[in-house]
Amino acid sequence: QVQLQESGPGPVKSSQTLSLTCTVSGGSISSGDYYWTWIRQHPGKGLEWVGYIYYSGSTYYNPSLKSRLTISIDTSKNHFSLKLSSVTAADTAVYFCATYKYYFDSWGQGTLVTVSS
Amino acid sequence: QSALTQPASVSGSPGQSITISCTGTSSDVGGYNYVSWYQQHPGTAPKLIIYDVSNRPSGVSNRFSGSKSGNTASLTISGLQAEDEADYYCSSFTSSSTLVAFGGGTKLTVL
């Protein structure tokens, strides 16, 4: 099982772009074994699939976020990233990265991103 | 509103068995054997406990079992223990544009 770790710059101001990176260890992001995924959880709420990317660069996004979302992959650094533009308070959530092959079997610890005005 | 419907809460006494349902449609739960279940304790990441309807990952207690009938999947926890108190989420592949569906989560209280 691979290990994943989210990282990001901390709080984000409303209307700006939220950027997070997920670093993968214990396996190659280019293996083709998984779709590399972002999931978020609003405070006190359930899980929401954000989107995922394959090592080839193919992306699949939640339609509700698609217009603001970019997920990219850097195989040389063994990490993948999320950028969500024009954020509002509604984007305040814990963001998890995870592996997906019709189920999410490895998860990062999650990082809380707070959008402030 | 979540795509998959779970009860908001269930409870049971130590040693008892409980079942959590997850109801979808023929586009997700009913149409594919790609239902998974996750356990989440407060402040931690979800943990996979069942995949592909009824398979347990290595290291997960055999007290956890999964099944499916029609458009409803179920998670059964037998021999309830205090440590089972957590939130439980179901998920399914879906042929809709969202690709991944989650249930709203069920809070399990061990009395």
Side-chain angles (χ1 to χ4, degrees):
Chain A
Q1 243 184 359
V2 298
Q3 292 80 49
L4 303 102
Q5 177 67 58
E6 305 89 352
S7 60
V12 182
K13 288 192 179 298
S14 184
S15 80
Q16 293 187 341
T17 296
L18 180 164
S19 297
L20 295 172
T21 294
C22 181
T23 301
V24 178
S25 59
S28 171
I29 205 168
S30 302
S31 67
D33 291 340
Y34 302 107
Y35 290 87
W36 304 96
T37 304
W38 290 99
I39 292 163
R40 70 181 184 178
Q41 186 170 35
H42 295 102
K45 302 296 184 182
L47 301 169
E48 178 184 25
W49 174 70
V50 172
Y52 51 61
I53 188 167
Y54 198 50
Y55 79 99
S56 61
S58 297
T59 53
Y60 306 83
Y61 297 155
N62 187 321
S64 68
L65 299 170
K66 187 174 183 177
S67 63
R68 301 189 291 127
L69 180 63
T70 301
I71 298 177
S72 58
I73 194 164
D74 188 333
T75 55
S76 67
K77 295 181 179 178
N78 223 39
H79 73 208
F80 62 107
S81 300
L82 172 154
K83 290 188 186 300
L84 187 65
S85 64
S86 304
V87 296
T88 70
D91 295 307
T92 292
V94 175
Y95 287 76
F96 297 98
C97 56
T99 57
Y100 179 69
K101 46 184 179 183
Y102 297 108
Y103 51 89
F104 303 99
D105 58 344
S106 295
W107 294 69
Q109 65 186 24
T111 186
L112 173 63
V113 178
T114 302
V115 178
S116 63
S117 54
Chain B
Q1 187 172 352
S2 301
L4 307 179
T5 300
Q6 298 180 232
S9 62
V10 299
S11 62
S13 299
Q16 289 186 330
S17 295
I18 63 94
T19 296
I20 299 171
S21 61
C22 171
T23 301
T25 69
S26 58
S27 296
D28 38 65
V29 173
Y32 306 92
N33 288 325
Y34 291 135
V35 176
S36 51
W37 290 90
Y38 304 86
Q39 177 192 61
Q40 186 179 33
H41 289 108
T44 68
K47 173 189 174 184
L48 176 70
I49 55 173
I50 295 288
Y51 67 96
D52 295 350
V53 175
S54 60
N55 294 303
R56 272 189 316 275
S58 174
V60 173
S61 171
N62 59 9
R63 298 187 298 106
F64 295 90
S65 62
S67 63
K68 189 183 82 167
S69 178
N71 295 336
T72 298
S74 298
L75 171 71
T76 297
I77 308 174
S78 60
L80 270 180
Q81 299 179 1
E83 68 206 50
D84 298 332
E85 187 162 289
D87 294 325
Y88 291 84
Y89 294 91
C90 64
S91 179
S92 175
F93 172 80
T94 170
S95 58
S96 75
S97 58
T98 54
L99 298 180
V100 175
F102 280 109
T106 298
K107 182 175 182 58
L108 168 62
T109 300
V110 180
L111 302 170

